[in-house]
Amino acid sequence: MLHTSRRRMRAALLAAASAALIAATLPSPEPLGIGDRLFPQLGNPGYDVLEYDISLAYEGRNDRPLEAVTKIDAWSTRGLDRVNLDFTHGTVRSVTVNDTPADFATAGEDLVIDPPANIPAGSRMQITVAHTSDPRGSKDAGGWVRTGDGLVMANQADAAHRVFPSNDHPSDKAYFTFRVTAPPDITVVANGRRVARAWTDKQASWVYRTGHPMATELAQVSIGRSAVIERQGPHGLPLRDVVPAADRELLEPWLKKTPGQLIWMEEKVGRYPFETYGVLIADAETGFELETQTLSLFERALFTSGAFPEWYVDSIMVHELAHQWFGNSVSPRTWSDLWLNEGHATWYEALYAEEKANQPLETRMRRAYEYSDAWRAAGGPPAAPAAAAPGKKLSIFRPVVYDGSALVLYALRQEIGESAFERLQRTWVQEHQDATATTEDFTQLASSIAERDLSMFFQAWLYGNQTPPMPGHPDWRSQAVEDGKGGAAKDTRR
């Protein structure tokens, strides 16, 4: 026994020494990022995610962490001895890479994985993370939003990794499958189409799958005592709206507007780009609405408080619908390209209000011009926005990326003419469908369609600290406003 014990002790000491030498040669885990100008630590280099498969177990309480498993199918774009995922606000139980257990550590808001063997460039890798997904915490941080009867997601701009491990940057779009178990009296709806549903006396299971790639910030899972209202949109498009069950009749006058709004948008820019659409009305005070893919999120009070005129609520519905083309189907390559999302959505919001409610577009654009210099001073020019204030990541959503960027589109239409402008809009969403695009892509396409070089025009309008003269309106003047907000009404858009 003594001899055996000594041999075991020697082997253990040798193993410990060997492990220490190996550890000494490896750098400490550190958070990485892809260098986005506004969110430098967001996203991770070295791989391209193809698909997420996310399982969530909801036990009937929205104040407790959900047990979860996230499976990531990806291609390596370079050799990897470590893999970083964006993930925070949850507990990691275990990690496997290609079905083999892997060591892991946390660093900043990254989960750093040591695969059991290096990942060669150009190879497939499958990562499985067992973890919790915690809905508790400040609602201002994003991720899960606790509603009166369950949960919804609000992951913009950089909060999807508070819900599930991911490459949390819009430049890496992927397909998604959601598998959710919940008590049988709970309804679950997620992005895409439902592909499976089953019940027992104690539990229901739901499976949803997207038919098109999606940015992580657009992920949506609604869990609650909800009614799902189904109808058809143009050319038989399946529509499903998700509302608190008690509010089904109250909200129907708003819900039935969606088919007509879809027809209007298709007349402007072409066929709706996804497999389904609908609105998700949550019993929660979010302070914003959000264009989650195929299922736009709205707060209940927008429709029930009476604080806004009907035409304004209609136009906000169109704003989120327009995002399905501008921002969702065509996603920004970087967060500095945000103006392409919000400027276009605001443009169609304003155009709808003009055509359907006699709210003149020119009047709104002239008012935006008056405040444009102040907006630029407060938040930077449209295509080079200032970084978010410390602890206030949502502060990138400033007036300059909404009406200030719609103003750029108005100036462009004035510059190249209505026919060329409409052709540009349609061509943009067709050429970049299901992909990402940059400001430079847009400006080059505009020059091509206008058949002349517009680089000087865009340099001034997108990057200038002062607003250029408005084509066709030499009398318009911009006025300084101290707070940089231009006296705008409450802005609930995202």
Side-chain angles (χ1 to χ4, degrees):
M1 288 292 292
L2 179 61
H3 177 69
T4 303
S5 297
R6 284 176 176 170
R7 289 180 60 187
R8 289 176 177 170
M9 182 178 294
R10 183 172 180 273
L13 289 171
L14 287 171
S18 177
L21 287 171
I22 293 171
T25 65
L26 291 175
S28 299
E30 61 178 346
L32 300 178
I34 61 171
D36 189 286
R37 192 179 68 85
L38 297 182
F39 298 102
Q41 296 295 313
L42 207 59
N44 294 285
Y47 61 91
D48 174 28
V49 177
L50 305 176
E51 183 174 1
Y52 294 95
D53 191 309
I54 301 170
S55 298
L56 299 162
Y58 181 71
E59 301 295 337
R61 293 273 301 270
N62 66 2
D63 59 352
R64 294 178 179 175
L66 288 70
E67 291 295 328
V69 176
T70 296
K71 298 179 180 179
I72 299 172
D73 193 356
W75 280 104
S76 60
T77 57
R78 70 184 193 197
L80 295 169
D81 57 6
R82 281 183 173 167
V83 179
N84 279 46
L85 298 174
D86 298 302
F87 186 58
T88 188
H89 200 60
T91 300
V92 178
R93 310 289 197 200
S94 64
V95 177
T96 64
V97 178
N98 296 330
D99 297 323
T100 302
D103 294 331
F104 58 91
T106 58
E109 294 192 357
D110 276 17
L111 171 63
V112 184
I113 301 168
D114 281 327
N118 287 356
I119 307 295
S123 62
R124 197 79 168 262
M125 62 176 178
Q126 295 177 317
I127 301 171
T128 301
V129 183
H131 60 98
T132 63
S133 186
D134 197 338
R136 299 170 299 182
S138 171
K139 68 178 182 180
D140 296 330
W144 286 117
V145 174
R146 293 162 61 185
T147 68
D149 62 351
L151 296 168
V152 295
M153 286 185 194
N155 296 329
Q156 200 176 81
D158 71 332
H161 65 283
R162 291 177 60 86
V163 178
F164 55 92
S166 60
N167 198 26
D168 193 9
H169 192 274
S171 61
D172 192 3
K173 298 168 71 167
Y175 291 87
F176 278 73
T177 298
F178 294 98
R179 307 174 192 273
V180 185
T181 59
D185 61 337
I186 294 295
T187 298
V188 176
V189 185
N191 308 99
R193 299 292 302 274
R194 191 184 73 218
V195 296
R197 179 178 61 178
W199 273 283
T200 68
D201 291 341
K202 297 182 179 180
Q203 181 176 274
S205 61
W206 309 72
V207 182
Y208 288 82
R209 187 166 294 132
T210 64
H212 298 261
M214 180 171 72
T216 50
E217 48 117 357
L218 301 173
Q220 181 60 268
V221 175
S222 166
I223 304 173
R225 291 177 174 82
S226 306
V228 180
I229 300 97
E230 297 181 347
R231 67 187 90 225
Q232 283 193 343
H235 46 79
L237 178 71
L239 304 180
R240 79 276 189 263
D241 299 315
V242 184
V243 303
D247 294 329
R248 179 172 182 161
E249 292 186 8
L250 174 67
L251 294 170
E252 175 59 21
W254 299 102
L255 303 177
K256 68 182 182 182
K257 294 173 181 280
T258 298
Q261 292 168 350
L262 274 159
I263 291 170
W264 184 86
M265 275 299 303
E266 289 196 339
E267 290 172 351
K268 300 300 181 187
V269 295
R271 189 124 170 181
Y272 176 74
F274 298 120
E275 64 273 19
T276 184
Y277 185 64
V279 302
L280 165 60
I281 301 178
D283 181 16
E285 294 182 5
T286 60
F288 57 80
E289 326 307 325
L290 186 61
E291 67 274 15
T292 42
Q293 191 161 307
T294 72
L295 190 62
S296 293
L297 173 66
F298 296 86
E299 54 184 342
R300 180 180 182 275
L302 178 69
F303 303 97
T304 62
S305 69
F308 306 103
E310 182 177 358
W311 70 264
Y312 177 80
V313 177
D314 288 346
S315 69
I316 295 301
M317 293 178 71
V318 170
H319 179 104
E320 305 308 334
L321 173 60
H323 270 309
Q324 303 299 317
W325 285 264
F326 301 94
N328 296 12
S329 179
V330 185
S331 298
R333 187 78 50 79
T334 75
W335 278 108
S336 294
D337 300 310
L338 176 63
W339 80 275
L340 287 167
N341 300 15
E342 300 300 348
H344 280 97
T346 303
W347 173 261
Y348 289 104
E349 166 198 332
L351 194 62
Y352 188 86
E354 177 179 66
E355 294 188 8
K356 300 295 185 179
N358 299 314
Q359 302 291 321
L361 175 67
E362 184 175 316
T363 299
R364 179 166 176 172
M365 292 297 99
R366 182 165 187 166
R367 181 173 176 82
Y369 192 92
E370 291 175 358
Y371 296 125
S372 181
D373 279 355
W375 291 341
R376 289 171 185 246
K392 296 182 179 180
K393 294 180 179 180
L394 296 184
S395 65
I396 65 169
F397 295 93
R398 307 177 178 100
V400 72
V401 302
Y402 291 97
D403 283 58
S405 295
L407 185 68
V408 175
L409 297 176
Y410 182 82
L412 179 60
R413 192 178 72 167
Q414 292 288 104
E415 180 75 15
I416 67 176
E418 190 169 334
S419 177
F421 180 81
E422 291 179 354
R423 191 161 66 253
L424 168 63
Q425 301 293 80
R426 287 177 171 269
T427 304
W428 174 251
V429 296
Q430 289 169 0
E431 288 193 356
H432 298 284
Q433 184 174 0
D434 288 340
T436 63
T438 65
T439 296
E440 185 179 5
D441 292 329
F442 184 80
T443 61
Q444 289 180 350
L445 180 62
S447 292
S448 175
I449 287 178
E451 297 183 339
R452 58 190 175 92
D453 185 4
L454 294 171
S455 57
M456 296 299 291
F457 170 88
F458 282 117
Q459 181 63 35
W461 276 96
L462 291 175
Y463 299 99
N465 293 324
Q466 290 189 314
T467 312
M470 176 59 70
H473 296 286
D475 57 318
W476 285 15
R477 297 289 181 269
S478 186
Q479 303 171 3
V481 177
E482 289 184 4
D483 64 5
K485 296 180 181 178
K490 177 188 176 186
D491 194 344
T492 69
R493 302 162 295 177
R494 283 275 282 281

